[in-house]
Amino acid sequence: MARLSLGLLIASVGMLVVSGCAVNPVTGRQELALFSVSASQEISLGQQAFPKAVQQMGGEFRDPALQQYVDRVGQRLGQVSQRPELPYQFKVVNDSTPNAFALPGGSIAITRGLLVNMENEAQLASVLGHEIGHVTARHSVQAMQRGTLMGIGLAVLGATTGQAAYGALAQQAGALAAGLLENSYSRDQERQADQLGIDYMVQAGYDPQGGVQLQEFFFRKMEGGAEPMWLAGLFRTHPFSKERMGNVEAYIQQRYAHTRNNPRYVMNTDAFRSATTRLRQTKPAYDLYDKARELERSGQLSQAIATYQQAATALPDEPLILTGLGMAYLRADNVASARPHLQRAVQLDGGYFQSRFGLGFIHLKENRVADAVRELEASMELMPTTQAGYILGGAYEKQGNRTKALELYKAVAEADPRGQYGQAAAKRIGELERR
Ligand code: ZN
């Protein structure tokens, strides 16, 4: 199985991508870019990076009815946009940090921590409409065209499918997702996305006052000395200011005065309240979970475990909380206590890389090698990490599969040559090749 290096991949696709101009679908103006990204490339990039971005944001929030509801609202807005043909998808991700993000091509996510602060469907529509605005105006493509992300994007586009999931392609898609999640938009881009979002809301039949309500809520958050989670989340990716709020109000006043107190434009408060019932019920337990994570980060491991326990008692069947508890026990070297929580987390939701990793690690420690390989491969397929890659390499060695172990160690060493696992992998390669 051939695995190409990043340099080779860029060289091989260099021919396919012609630098020049692209027409912006929203403004109709020509855009000068070093590389032009076609609509189908834009969609392909977004669709490959999105699952990895979702994993990095805690996975999908487990509430299928809520997921469908949010997707329905988003699709309604996408259909009235300048780019109705894009394959839009909308997910609620299980992250407490209030945030929302859009990847090129129409893959959009909103965090549990932002959604739980909202009061009606029009407010939700204003956030999703704003994110759709970043997509239709190609702000998310422009973000990708900056600097090193473009190289990674080209590698993803040029890579042929059929490689192992933990090969170069998956690694690049993960790196692209991480880079795009770090992006913050400019003030001009924010203004344009705000206006586009309001346009879509009105065309889809929502009361644009929902957008004003949300901006006022953001303003109160900012004025009250924003909490770290807001500063690290929405206010970083989508810079907020009093001026921005004023611009939204003026724009609605100017263009959409006829929507004021007009029953044709809805807030849909009841539908929203009912769709988000479970989300709101989970909040106290997730507050405890966030506190536990904070304690764990600051090295207070036993207090962290006690707090995870409280969260798991308040909300017993929540996979992310069980994963946090299990991983904290693993950090404390208490495998016996970690096992049941990680087993239950995987049983409830096999689609989150961290719980599959933790369970695989336990299987390996307890010498169930085949089970370990299964879980670690699943984890790597969901979200390749150098940590899981290195541990999986060890599991292959225990199975006597030298070829696969070497292949994986090489991928880890190449992905992170200076890191802890990259260096450990390089050492194992040396030892295996000397045999
Ligand atoms: Zn924005």
Side-chain angles (χ1 to χ4, degrees):
M1 187 167 35
R3 242 177 10 81
L4 299 171
S5 74
L6 178 58
L8 278 174
L9 285 170
I10 291 174
S12 67
V13 294
M15 303 301 220
L16 303 176
V17 185
V18 187
S19 68
C21 290
V23 176
N24 189 297
V26 170
T27 60
R29 283 200 294 264
Q30 295 271 316
E31 257 172 18
L32 188 69
L34 194 54
F35 300 101
S36 73
V37 175
S38 72
S40 67
Q41 289 175 324
E42 190 186 337
I43 291 165
S44 164
L45 283 168
Q47 287 183 342
Q48 290 185 63
F50 193 57
K52 312 291 184 226
V54 168
Q55 291 292 317
Q56 287 169 42
M57 306 283 285
E60 282 184 39
F61 182 65
R62 217 169 47 99
D63 184 338
L66 176 66
Q67 295 285 359
Q68 274 171 25
Y69 170 78
V70 169
D71 190 67
R72 214 161 41 234
V73 173
Q75 297 296 346
R76 235 171 111 174
L77 296 157
Q79 290 320 301
V80 299
S81 78
Q82 289 90 341
R83 304 179 75 185
E85 73 287 355
L86 288 178
Y88 290 102
Q89 53 173 331
F90 301 87
K91 300 267 186 226
V92 181
V93 289
N94 205 352
D95 194 317
S96 303
T97 308
N99 210 346
F101 65 89
L103 298 192
S107 298
I108 289 168
I110 179 167
T111 63
R112 166 174 49 74
L114 181 54
L115 196 54
V116 79
N117 281 290
M118 293 180 180
E119 288 161 348
N120 58 54
E121 194 172 305
Q123 294 182 359
L124 169 61
S126 87
V127 166
L128 299 182
H130 176 99
E131 295 302 326
I132 293 170
H134 282 309
V135 172
T136 55
R138 288 170 59 97
H139 298 158
S140 39
V141 178
Q142 287 160 17
M144 204 202 66
Q145 284 173 325
R146 277 200 296 267
T148 53
L149 278 187
M150 193 64 221
I152 299 171
L154 289 174
V156 170
L157 282 176
T160 47
T161 48
Q163 302 181 62
Y166 44 81
L169 177 59
Q171 276 174 32
Q172 301 301 348
L176 181 63
L180 287 170
L181 289 178
E182 275 305 301
N183 174 58
S184 54
Y185 296 105
S186 73
R187 281 165 63 172
D188 283 347
Q189 289 178 327
E190 282 306 282
R191 189 184 318 114
Q192 192 182 24
D194 278 340
Q195 293 184 354
L196 289 168
I198 300 288
D199 293 345
Y200 305 152
M201 281 180 81
V202 172
Q203 283 165 50
Y206 289 109
D207 185 344
Q209 287 308 310
V212 174
Q213 289 172 356
L214 206 59
Q215 296 260 338
E216 282 169 350
F217 172 72
F218 293 158
F219 181 64
R220 287 197 301 276
K221 277 277 164 201
M222 193 185 67
E223 208 183 25
E227 297 138 46
M229 271 204 178
W230 284 85
L231 293 174
L234 195 71
F235 291 168
R236 180 183 60 78
T237 54
H238 304 264
F240 182 75
S241 65
K242 192 177 181 181
E243 187 199 353
R244 196 181 139 193
M245 179 174 72
N247 287 341
V248 165
E249 285 172 7
Y251 185 72
I252 294 170
Q253 189 63 32
Q254 254 171 35
R255 290 191 64 162
Y256 299 118
H258 67 280
T259 62
R260 200 79 211 233
N261 300 319
N262 183 338
R264 281 182 50 217
Y265 299 91
V266 299
M267 289 285 187
N268 278 0
T269 305
D270 291 345
F272 182 86
R273 296 288 296 178
S274 118
T276 53
T277 305
R278 191 175 160 268
L279 180 86
R280 269 174 287 116
Q281 284 167 351
T282 63
K283 189 172 184 304
Y286 271 112
D287 287 344
L288 286 166
Y289 167 82
D290 295 336
K291 208 176 121 192
R293 296 229 313 171
E294 203 46 56
L295 287 164
E296 191 177 352
R297 263 194 293 266
S298 65
Q300 294 161 273
L301 198 50
S302 55
Q303 289 98 316
I305 288 172
T307 313
Y308 280 125
Q309 285 281 14
Q310 285 175 22
T313 306
L315 201 62
D317 277 342
E318 201 65 5
L320 192 65
I321 293 175
L322 294 171
T323 302
L325 177 57
M327 295 304 287
Y329 272 129
L330 276 188
R331 282 187 107 185
D333 249 337
N334 186 343
V335 178
S337 298
R339 192 192 310 108
H341 302 296
L342 285 162
Q343 256 164 355
R344 182 84 184 124
V346 171
Q347 209 173 59
L348 289 164
D349 178 8
Y352 184 49
F353 79 102
Q354 192 75 267
S355 50
R356 303 298 296 261
F357 168 72
L359 187 56
F361 182 78
I362 291 171
H363 284 320
L364 191 61
K365 276 219 145 189
E366 296 180 337
N367 260 317
R368 290 179 298 271
V369 183
D371 290 339
V373 167
R374 184 194 62 231
E375 293 304 318
L376 293 166
E377 281 183 345
S379 177
M380 287 292 280
E381 205 165 307
L382 289 161
M383 177 72 211
T385 66
T386 52
Q387 185 187 36
Y390 179 74
I391 306 286
L392 177 57
Y396 285 144
E397 274 195 69
K398 270 199 178 178
Q399 265 188 334
N401 195 336
R402 182 177 176 272
T403 313
K404 272 194 155 179
L406 264 174
E407 185 188 306
L408 202 49
Y409 286 142
K410 281 177 182 164
V412 171
E414 190 187 319
D416 188 19
R418 274 182 295 273
Q420 179 190 354
Y421 295 105
Q423 291 188 350
K427 205 171 147 215
R428 288 306 302 148
I429 294 167
E431 283 161 5
L432 281 174
E433 281 180 343
R434 245 176 278 128
R435 269 181 217 168

